[in-house]
Amino acid sequence: TKMKPTTDHDRDGNNDDVEDFPTPRASPCMVALDDHTCLVFGGASTRISSSDNGDGSPFLHGCNDTWVLELDWENHTVQWTCLIAEDDDSVISPPGRNAATLSKLMSRPSWMTTNDDNDDDDQVGTHSQYFLLHGGWYPFRTTYNEDYLLRVIK
């Protein structure tokens, strides 16, 4: 069944403002949060080099934004929500990349401190999920061999 976005915008991949859904991209990481919600990180989008820094030719840009995709099976619609915007300096975020892996962990890693986790997980209606991001590459620049842990609180 074809799903339709709840908003309809033309995207050229060059807009730095956060829109209602991510720019078109290749090889982002996607993992299920539950039966109707997915977490999406990174991928490579096409950008055009500026006249100041380049010749105006297209190149692949490694994205580092994080999105939630909610699927409404009944109405055949989708809703995108940006959790972490591209190059958001207010959070620690991995460098942009595509072709990485994003795996859901079954529990909080034992090496993590519990001070902050227990406070949020003990509140009524909250539940933390953990995801491990590994590897990937910034197209034609570098290949990553590193891990990042992402904690999502519902």
Side-chain angles (χ1 to χ4, degrees), residues 8 12 14 18-19 43 52 70 87 94 96 100 105 111 113 122 125 148:
D8 188 19
D12 61 8
N14 291 318
V18 175
E19 294 286 340
D52 295 340
E70 296 176 77
D87 298 321
L105 302 177
W111 52 265
T113 60
D122 287 342
Y148 284 86

Side-chain angles (χ1 to χ4, degrees), residues 15-82:
N15 191 341
D16 290 334
D17 297 331
V18 175
E19 294 286 340
D20 294 327
F21 54 92
T23 58
R25 58 192 66 196
S27 299
C29 296
M30 181 181 275
V31 65
L33 292 172
D34 54 38
D35 290 343
H36 64 276
T37 312
C38 298
L39 184 67
V40 179
F41 171 81
S45 65
T46 303
R47 298 275 176 99
I48 305 297
S49 61
S50 67
S51 56
D52 295 340
N53 300 332
D55 59 2
S57 61
F59 68 96
L60 289 175
H61 166 73
C63 302
N64 74 334
D65 47 356
T66 304
W67 293 80
V68 169
L69 172 62
E70 296 176 77
L71 306 169
D72 181 342
W73 300 111
E74 214 173 281
N75 296 312
H76 302 285
T77 60
V78 298
Q79 177 67 48
W80 288 98
T81 303
C82 184

Side-chain angles (χ1 to χ4, degrees), residues 33-151:
L33 292 172
D34 54 38
D35 290 343
H36 64 276
T37 312
C38 298
L39 184 67
V40 179
F41 171 81
S45 65
T46 303
R47 298 275 176 99
I48 305 297
S49 61
S50 67
S51 56
D52 295 340
N53 300 332
D55 59 2
S57 61
F59 68 96
L60 289 175
H61 166 73
C63 302
N64 74 334
D65 47 356
T66 304
W67 293 80
V68 169
L69 172 62
E70 296 176 77
L71 306 169
D72 181 342
W73 300 111
E74 214 173 281
N75 296 312
H76 302 285
T77 60
V78 298
Q79 177 67 48
W80 288 98
T81 303
C82 184
L83 295 181
I84 302 171
E86 182 80 23
D87 298 321
D88 183 348
D89 293 334
S90 68
V91 295
I92 297 172
S93 187
R97 64 190 69 205
N98 70 311
T101 61
L102 186 62
S103 303
K104 185 175 182 176
L105 302 177
M106 299 311 289
S107 62
R108 178 176 46 90
S110 61
W111 52 265
M112 287 185 67
T113 60
T114 59
N115 295 345
D116 292 337
D117 280 348
N118 285 339
D119 291 342
D120 287 330
D121 287 343
D122 287 342
Q123 293 179 16
V124 175
T126 63
H127 175 68
S128 294
Q129 293 183 17
Y130 298 89
F131 301 88
L132 181 67
L133 177 73
H134 176 76
W137 72 305
Y138 194 105
F140 308 107
R141 294 186 188 169
T142 189
T143 299
Y144 297 106
N145 184 22
E146 59 191 11
D147 299 310
Y148 284 86
L149 186 68
L150 175 64
R151 176 178 171 216

